[in-house]
Amino acid sequence: MINDTHCQQFLDFCEDQRNLSANTVTAYRQDLKAFLIFYKSTDTGDNTNQQTVLRYLRYLRNAKRLKPSTVQRRVMTLRACLEWMRQFKSGSPSPFDGLRLTFRSPKLVPRAIDANTLKHLLKNEESNPVPKHSFSKDAVTFLIMRILIVTGLRIGELTGLNIKDVFSQDSKIRVFGKGSRERIVYIANDELYAEFVKFLHWRRASNKPSAQLFPNRCGERLTPPALRKRLKLLCASKNITPHLTPHQFRHSAATQLIENGVDIRMVQRLLGHASLATTEIYTYVSDQALQLTLVRADVLSRLDPGHSKTFNIYKLLPKRSVAENHANRPGMFVVGDPQAAESVC
């Protein structure tokens, strides 16, 4: 029977021997805690068997009404723990032996930020001027936003950066992503690069130098929750609703690159995806762009002058902000294009 001691031993095994990341171990801990609460509440007196697993699965789906991806993660965490118990503890068969579980998660479209919102958000106003000698909290936030849209970094990757991770005349940044995979991202914009160099000089010349690249007001490392709060306040000040999240900048970076013809394998390398299939979710937006181009061309109207040309183009597209992005394509923000970035920033 699985208990708190077994769960803690399994978590120690994941952290010490499998060398899993702190975030993964935290997620495992939450998943196992949720199962133990369910297991103790049922109190059937039986060992963890197939019926227990199936009851837990129904509980997650029907009673808790969790998302399919969350249900799958919690069940797979339980399976990994029981497999570990069989191998290192009891040696008894796993309740998952003989079970064929199917998880069908909906294919979600990435929530990219439309071009007009990006322009408004990245517009350099008096409230966030480019500093000359020092960087305020707002100036650092403004710089971080543009780095996110150019590099596609995850929020944890960005806040985990150290000054020593910047090299090659301050134009390249070494990033350690999921699975401790190392990759290089680039500051591919002249104006942003010039400001980033000023920021680095300010950090290196600080009276209280520290290892982290992006500090908070107290000089400590900026945390993901603090950055999310900063972005939420900035959106509120610019009347952007609903407020944006840092991960939407990652989606927007990938979407803009795909929309502007960058090879998908290059986008995969930039984002640090282990599988190309993960990057392919961004091709959906490209399909929308193709659809919009075909509607604009309207071949049938050119071949048959009597055919009506007043078709509403938006009927072919879902009612999403990304459709407005395509409708305003001449003003689209092009990542890495100095002229386009200059007009936006």
Side-chain angles (χ1 to χ4, degrees):
M1 180 174 65
I2 187 172
N3 55 37
D4 296 271
T5 302
H6 293 145
C7 291
Q8 186 56 52
Q9 291 175 345
F10 170 70
L11 294 173
D12 293 339
F13 168 78
C14 291
E15 186 173 6
D16 299 334
Q17 298 187 44
R18 294 184 61 189
N19 195 27
L20 298 182
S21 69
N23 289 338
T24 301
V25 174
T26 299
Y28 280 5
R29 180 176 289 107
Q30 294 172 348
D31 294 341
L32 292 175
K33 181 180 179 181
F35 173 74
L36 287 176
I37 292 175
F38 164 80
Y39 188 68
K40 294 174 182 178
S41 65
T42 55
D43 194 21
T44 59
D46 298 330
N47 290 334
T48 308
N49 53 33
Q50 288 190 353
Q51 291 303 317
T52 305
V53 172
L54 294 176
R55 285 199 306 270
Y56 182 55
L57 182 60
R58 287 193 295 269
Y59 168 77
L60 295 177
R61 286 174 172 170
N62 302 330
K64 300 294 290 184
R65 295 186 179 276
L66 299 179
K67 295 187 297 184
S69 58
T70 304
V71 173
Q72 180 178 7
R73 192 196 71 195
R74 291 195 173 179
V75 173
M76 291 300 100
T77 300
L78 176 62
R79 179 176 183 175
C81 183
L82 293 175
E83 288 288 347
W84 170 83
M85 286 182 60
R86 173 167 64 176
Q87 183 176 0
F88 296 100
K89 293 295 180 181
S90 63
S92 59
S94 169
F96 285 88
D97 292 344
L99 281 181
R100 298 184 61 182
L101 303 178
T102 302
F103 301 94
R104 297 178 179 176
S105 300
K107 191 174 182 179
L108 302 178
V109 179
R111 294 186 302 161
I113 309 170
D114 65 272
N116 289 333
T117 302
L118 275 175
K119 289 179 181 180
H120 179 56
L121 187 66
L122 298 175
K123 185 177 181 181
N124 192 10
E125 301 174 345
E126 294 181 358
S127 59
N128 46 16
V130 177
K132 296 182 180 179
H133 303 293
S134 63
F135 281 72
S136 64
K137 182 185 75 171
D138 292 339
V140 173
T141 305
F142 187 58
L143 175 65
I144 285 176
M145 286 192 306
R146 288 184 289 170
I147 291 177
L148 288 175
I149 198 63
V150 169
T151 61
L153 289 175
R154 301 179 179 94
I155 181 173
E157 294 171 343
L158 182 132
T159 55
L161 290 175
N162 294 320
I163 296 177
K164 66 179 182 180
D165 294 325
V166 184
F167 64 101
S168 188
Q169 296 183 340
D170 301 335
S171 64
K172 298 181 181 179
I173 304 175
R174 180 176 58 246
V175 181
F176 293 94
K178 288 185 176 180
S180 298
R181 290 188 296 270
E182 179 181 336
R183 71 182 190 276
I184 303 297
V185 297
Y186 304 87
I187 306 296
N189 176 272
D190 292 339
E191 183 180 347
L192 178 60
Y193 171 70
E195 184 179 349
F196 187 57
V197 170
K198 292 179 182 179
F199 171 76
L200 286 172
H201 289 168
W202 172 70
R203 288 291 295 120
R204 290 164 178 158
S206 174
N207 294 330
K208 297 180 180 180
S210 54
Q212 56 267 17
L213 181 59
F214 295 107
N216 57 20
R217 290 185 299 176
C218 300
E220 303 295 331
R221 185 180 299 277
L222 181 65
T223 62
L227 180 55
R228 292 190 183 96
K229 184 177 181 180
R230 287 189 185 187
L231 186 56
K232 184 177 181 179
L233 293 174
L234 180 62
C235 290
S237 67
K238 290 178 173 285
N239 297 320
I240 297 176
T241 54
H243 69 84
L244 306 177
T245 65
H247 209 70
Q248 284 181 274
F249 284 84
R250 179 174 169 85
H251 291 325
S252 301
T255 299
Q256 295 288 350
L257 291 172
I258 293 292
E259 289 286 325
N260 288 278
V262 177
D263 185 84
I264 190 171
R265 293 191 179 275
M266 294 185 180
V267 178
Q268 177 194 7
R269 181 179 174 184
L270 176 70
L271 299 182
H273 287 157
S275 171
L276 186 64
T278 307
T279 316
E280 285 177 346
I281 61 175
Y282 299 104
T283 61
Y284 176 85
V285 183
S286 253
D287 293 339
Q288 287 188 334
L290 172 62
Q291 189 178 43
L292 180 62
T293 302
L294 294 176
V295 172
R296 281 178 172 172
D298 200 356
V299 176
L300 184 59
S301 294
R302 297 177 185 275
L303 296 176
D304 182 7
H307 184 73
S308 174
K309 299 179 63 176
T310 59
F311 182 76
N312 187 349
I313 195 171
Y314 295 104
K315 291 184 178 180
L316 289 179
L317 299 176
K319 294 182 179 181
R320 293 174 56 89
S321 59
V322 70
E324 298 177 2
N325 181 6
H326 295 313
N328 295 279
R329 191 172 181 83
M332 180 175 287
F333 172 51
V334 182
V335 177
D337 184 344
Q339 293 182 348
E342 184 175 311
S343 64
V344 173
C345 301

